[in-house]
Amino acid sequence: KEKEKQEKTVENIEEHTHEHNHDHAHENIKVAFFLNLIFAVIETIGGFLTNSVSIFSDAVHDLGDSISIGISYLFEKKSKKIPNSEYTYGYLRYSLLGAFVTSVVLLVGSVAVLFNAIPRLWNPQEINHDAMIIFAIFGLLINGYAAYKTSKGQKTNEKAINLHMLEDVFGWVIVLIGSICIKVFNQPIIDPILSIFLSLYVLFHVYKYFKDILDIIMEKTPKGIKVEKIEEEITKKYDTVKDMHHTHIWTLDG
């Protein structure tokens, strides 16, 4: 009876932790979605007012982020459903699907930014640098808070969304520095150079996330886990276990 009581306690703790982590992820994605959507609208207006391709392209990028985060939010919500006869492993991989959609939007958005920014290298245009500085400060504050809210995530979906937020924070740091340089040195060509640099930075990280997603889909052994070490520890600990073979270790959602 004591053993059954202990096992029940462990089960309750595990279930509570599982539900708490899911609720935490769900709420953080929701906050990131609304912050991104509101600021994307503000950025679009700012892009026209400043005539800055870096701000306008980032507005398009953030609007795409908002759409993908919204989709991720719905998938994250669905991933909380308990297993049933149709989904015997549960719905956790809907979260992974959200990460995939988010990464695709980042990829398309970055290519679109490059397409619009490169021609401006040969035809730089006048920029309202003072307004750029103001928008950059607001961008840092809003995206910094969103990055903080999603920084504790362990699941691939949360990590992909946190990448969005960190990329935006890093982007606004660069835009702030760039807008100050444009103001001081009167060099509007800095604006498209910033856009190109930021897009290449995002594409590099998108590649890494696509690789992580592919590893999970292909049921690769999770990072940091040594199959041989686990087999060795089990055979050493339990005298009744003489040998282990065909050991399979994988993750459902990263």
Side-chain angles (χ1 to χ4, degrees):
K1 286 183 179 180
E2 185 62 31
K3 186 177 179 182
E4 287 177 0
K5 183 179 178 181
Q6 290 175 357
E7 289 175 349
K8 187 66 178 176
T9 302
V10 172
E11 287 175 4
N12 289 337
I13 292 171
E14 289 176 345
E15 184 178 354
H16 173 75
T17 304
H18 182 73
E19 290 175 355
H20 175 75
N21 288 340
H22 273 293
D23 290 339
H24 185 69
H26 195 219
E27 188 61 32
N28 286 342
I29 292 173
K30 183 179 178 180
V31 171
F33 167 72
F34 282 111
L35 284 175
N36 234 47
L37 182 62
I38 292 168
F39 196 64
V41 175
I42 297 172
E43 273 183 298
T44 303
I45 298 170
F48 283 111
L49 292 177
T50 61
N51 195 32
S52 168
V53 68
S54 61
I55 287 183
F56 185 71
S57 59
D58 198 66
V60 175
H61 193 163
D62 274 354
L63 188 61
D65 281 1
S66 299
I67 295 170
S68 63
I69 291 171
I71 293 171
S72 295
Y73 174 80
L74 295 175
F75 283 148
E76 188 69 36
K77 188 174 182 180
K78 191 173 182 67
S79 73
K80 293 172 66 178
K81 295 176 66 176
I82 61 174
N84 53 40
S85 58
E86 188 176 1
Y87 286 83
T88 56
Y89 281 101
Y91 291 77
L92 287 176
R93 282 208 167 158
Y94 273 93
S95 175
L96 186 66
L97 186 59
F100 177 77
V101 172
T102 302
S103 298
V104 168
V105 172
L106 273 173
L107 176 65
V108 173
S110 299
V111 171
V113 169
L114 287 172
F115 182 79
N116 286 280
I118 290 174
R120 283 209 181 191
L121 291 173
W122 291 273
N123 185 30
Q125 299 184 19
E126 286 301 315
I127 306 297
N128 186 339
H129 41 69
D130 291 329
M132 274 185 73
I133 292 172
I134 294 171
F135 273 102
I137 292 171
F138 273 106
L140 271 173
L141 293 174
I142 293 173
N143 287 284
Y145 179 71
Y148 168 75
K149 289 293 290 184
T150 57
S151 62
K152 305 298 182 182
Q154 298 297 318
K155 301 170 70 177
T156 302
N157 191 18
E158 289 180 279
K159 291 178 181 178
I161 291 171
N162 185 243
L163 170 63
H164 281 274
M165 301 299 103
L166 289 174
E167 175 268 319
D168 284 339
V169 170
F170 177 74
W172 283 115
V173 170
I174 299 299
V175 169
L176 180 59
I177 295 171
S179 56
I180 293 172
C181 290
I182 293 171
K183 179 180 176 67
V184 173
F185 301 108
N186 193 28
Q187 292 292 330
I189 196 173
I190 294 173
D191 186 51
I193 291 174
L194 290 177
S195 297
I196 293 168
F197 176 74
L198 291 172
S199 298
L200 293 175
Y201 170 80
V202 175
L203 286 173
F204 171 72
H205 285 279
V206 166
Y207 161 76
K208 289 168 62 178
Y209 269 90
F210 268 128
K211 184 178 180 301
D212 288 343
I213 291 168
L214 185 62
D215 285 346
I216 295 171
I217 292 173
M218 298 305 294
E219 298 183 336
K220 183 178 178 181
T221 303
K223 294 177 182 177
I225 293 178
K226 302 294 183 183
V227 177
E228 297 83 2
K229 186 178 180 182
I230 291 174
E231 290 178 341
E232 183 182 348
E233 288 189 8
I234 290 175
T235 51
K236 280 184 178 179
K237 185 173 181 179
Y238 300 101
D239 295 334
T240 51
V241 179
K242 300 303 178 184
D243 183 41
M244 285 185 66
H245 57 90
H246 291 301
T247 305
H248 303 286
I249 304 174
W250 69 98
T251 175
L252 286 172
D253 62 353

